[in-house]
Amino acid sequence: QWLGRVGDGPDTARTGITCRTGTPGADYYGVTPRSGDVVVTKNRFSAFVGTNLDLTLRSLGIDSLLFTGVATEICVESSLRSALFHEYWVSLVDDCAATYSRAAHDASVSVVAQNFGTVVTAEKLESFWSTVSPG
C-alpha cells in the first residue's frame, strides 16, 4: 500500500495513516463544501495523482491556480509542481501555507519562487482583487 511507504524518519516504518477517509484527520476544518461545489478526494502528496482534478479544472476553463495548505514542502509543493507540469499558471500563497518547520517552509517558498511559479501573500491577493472589476 502506497501510504505505508512513508515513515516517521529514515529507516522507520509508518506508524499511522494521515487523513484517511473517515478519520478525524480527513474532516473539513473551519470550512465545508457548499451545495454544487466540486470535491476532489486527494490520496497522494499531489492532488493531481490518481484524481480527476486536471479534467475537472479543464472542464471549468480554469488555467491559474493558487496553492495553500499543509505541509508546504510536501503536499502543497507536490501539487503545485504537478499543476505546473500540467501547464497551469501556479502561485503559492506564502502566508496561507504552513508546515512543521519554518526552515522547511522557507526553503519550499524559495524553490517555488526561483523555479516553479510565483509567490504571493494573502494581502497582495486581496489588494489585487479589490482593484479588479467583475465581468
Side-chain angles (χ1 to χ4, degrees), residues 10-120:
D11 301 320
T12 61
R14 178 96 174 150
T15 58
I17 301 300
T18 305
C19 299
R20 177 175 273 178
T21 301
T23 67
D27 290 342
Y28 291 100
Y29 181 79
V31 297
T32 53
R34 294 179 296 198
S35 177
D37 283 351
V38 175
V39 176
V40 175
T41 301
K42 181 171 98 48
N43 296 301
R44 301 287 188 270
F45 292 147
S46 170
F48 284 84
V49 176
T51 70
N52 65 348
L53 181 57
D54 181 46
L55 178 63
T56 300
L57 293 171
R58 292 196 190 287
S59 70
L60 294 170
I62 294 170
D63 63 2
S64 298
L65 303 173
L66 299 171
F67 287 85
T68 66
V70 176
T72 311
E73 81 285 11
I74 303 170
C75 295
V76 178
E77 188 177 329
S78 294
S79 296
L80 181 145
R81 287 184 187 211
S82 288
L84 177 69
F85 302 153
H86 280 85
E87 303 293 331
Y88 291 92
W89 297 97
V90 298
S91 296
L92 173 63
V93 187
D94 184 1
D95 54 342
C96 292
T99 195
Y100 309 97
S101 134
R102 185 67 196 189
H105 173 82
D106 291 346
S108 187
V109 169
S110 178
V111 165
V112 168
Q114 187 172 7
N115 300 301
F116 298 113
T118 59
V119 176
V120 296

